[in-house]
Amino acid sequence: MSSPENAAASPSYHHASVLLDGAVDALVHARDGIYLDGTFGRGGHSRAILERLDANGRLMAIDRDPDALAAADDIVDPRFMIERGEFARLGDIAAAHGVHGKLAGILLDIGVSSPQLDDPERGFSFLRDGPLDMRMDPSQGESAAQFLARAGEAEMAGVFKAYGEERYAKRLARAIIARRAEQPFTRTADLAAVVKAAHPAWEKHKHPATRVFQALRIQVNGELEQLDAALAAALEALAPGGHLVVISFHSLEDRRVKRFIRDHVRGDTHLPRGMPIRDDQLERRLEALGKARRAGADEVDDNPRARSAVLRAARKRS
């Protein structure tokens, strides 16, 4: 999966899995283990995981995108299965298959995939005109067009600021609301043009609609809430000694992942200051597996969308 938009579309909507070897190296520590790929995408990481497993190993995958589920049909392997759903539900899905608390590793590759960006019909891209949708599961929830049609200025600006870190959130929200009074937004190119015209200060090498589109995508898909829920569920679903590997693509995601791992490495940080407490009472449930990792220069050259990727990994304590 990935976030920045700077690769050209192709008819096949090619997807290159980011930090592939690093993620699988950090994840697979037992060839006969049961693993979960919580964000199947187009299966690049899943296929690499299967290559590392022996005949007794198993891999479960989850995705809510119907196109991703269709791509999974190409994997014909008795060790593999996929479920349709949100990765925040990984605990429930693991429990339904009798593997909750038994997983050797969980991989989460957060964000939007290259095929989703490159397919204009999905509505994620400001570079390619298409329906203003942005839902990872088009059958569920509110589309970006529906959100823009009903949100007030304060709510809209709040989304742009919180999820897009857009400096001119209020100004852009006012421009969108003024235009929708004349005609509702239904196409990505239309929205991008209005934002571009209203934006007073363009960042170098970045389209002025970048942050607004990111914010809308996160809002529509509940991405940060999904991530928080998935991290908490993963900690419970892992077996003692199991590995958690997360790849994120922007600071909003990475800060959450970093904080989650840090808090569970340190233990209970909410105890009153000065209270005497034994080390075994701190509930230190994770240990970090090295420092955060980023894509190397060669991978970024081959796949520019890897530039912003950050990989963090941790082991659940026994």
Side-chain angles (χ1 to χ4, degrees):
M1 297 195 176
S2 63
S3 187
E5 295 195 54
N6 48 14
S10 68
S12 61
Y13 306 125
H14 174 69
H15 177 61
S17 295
V18 172
L19 291 165
L20 180 64
D21 291 335
V24 178
D25 288 344
L27 182 75
V28 179
H29 58 97
R31 287 172 54 82
D32 61 350
I34 305 169
Y35 294 86
L36 188 147
D37 181 352
T39 46
F40 178 79
R42 292 303 181 269
H45 288 115
S46 282
R47 290 180 176 87
I49 293 166
L50 288 167
E51 290 177 357
R52 303 285 185 95
L53 303 184
D54 64 21
N56 296 314
R58 291 169 56 193
L59 175 63
M60 299 174 58
I62 302 171
D63 211 294
R64 54 176 162 170
D65 187 329
D67 292 339
L69 296 168
D73 290 341
D74 292 339
I75 299 181
V76 181
D77 190 319
R79 302 171 300 167
F80 173 79
M81 62 159 293
I82 188 166
E83 287 273 355
R84 180 172 186 168
E86 302 168 341
F87 65 80
R89 293 186 51 246
L90 67 87
D92 295 335
I93 292 172
H97 290 278
V99 296
H100 192 269
K102 301 177 182 179
L103 294 173
I106 296 173
L107 171 65
L108 301 175
D109 180 12
I110 310 302
V112 63
S113 69
S114 298
Q116 288 170 328
L117 282 173
D118 292 342
D119 182 358
E121 292 304 308
R122 300 303 302 273
F124 288 101
S125 176
F126 46 76
L127 298 177
R128 302 167 182 87
D129 186 36
L132 189 56
D133 195 313
M134 299 195 193
R135 290 173 294 177
M136 292 184 181
D137 181 350
S139 70
Q140 299 290 326
E142 181 180 57
S143 71
Q146 290 169 328
F147 172 77
L148 291 178
R150 61 107 183 135
E153 180 182 322
E155 181 181 7
M156 194 181 298
V159 166
F160 296 165
K161 185 173 181 61
Y163 296 156
E165 299 178 297
E166 173 55 67
R167 180 180 177 185
Y168 300 100
K170 291 183 179 179
R171 178 177 182 142
L172 299 180
R174 284 197 297 270
I176 289 170
I177 288 174
R179 210 321 287 279
R180 84 178 181 194
E182 304 170 6
Q183 180 183 349
F185 288 94
T186 61
R187 308 288 297 182
T188 56
D190 187 21
L191 175 62
V194 170
V195 172
K196 182 177 180 180
H199 207 294
W202 299 3
E203 296 175 66
K204 189 176 182 180
H205 305 309
K206 183 176 286 189
H207 192 287
T210 299
R211 295 180 181 275
V212 165
F213 271 64
Q214 173 184 296
L216 286 172
R217 193 199 80 222
I218 292 173
Q219 164 69 22
V220 164
N221 294 291
E223 291 181 30
L224 299 183
E225 295 84 358
Q226 287 274 322
L227 176 57
D228 289 341
L231 292 171
L235 185 57
E236 303 304 325
L238 284 168
H243 291 194
L244 172 64
V245 178
V246 186
I247 302 171
S248 57
F249 287 86
H250 58 71
S251 59
L252 293 175
E253 298 166 342
D254 184 54
R255 283 198 295 266
R256 278 171 152 76
V257 177
K258 180 180 180 180
R259 182 172 61 244
F260 178 84
I261 292 176
R262 180 199 64 201
D263 288 351
H264 287 286
V265 166
R266 292 179 178 176
D268 192 340
T269 58
H270 303 293
L271 295 169
R273 289 185 178 223
M275 174 180 285
I277 187 165
R278 299 193 311 272
D279 191 64
D280 63 354
Q281 293 177 306
L282 287 173
E283 295 190 9
R284 292 172 173 156
R285 303 189 67 190
L286 290 175
E287 56 182 311
L289 294 175
K291 297 181 179 180
R293 280 161 270 182
R294 295 182 178 272
D298 289 344
E299 181 174 0
V300 172
D301 287 342
D302 291 339
N303 179 14
R305 287 174 174 166
R307 183 178 293 109
S308 60
V310 180
L311 184 153
R312 296 185 186 272
R315 178 188 294 114
K316 183 175 178 177
R317 291 179 179 269
S318 301

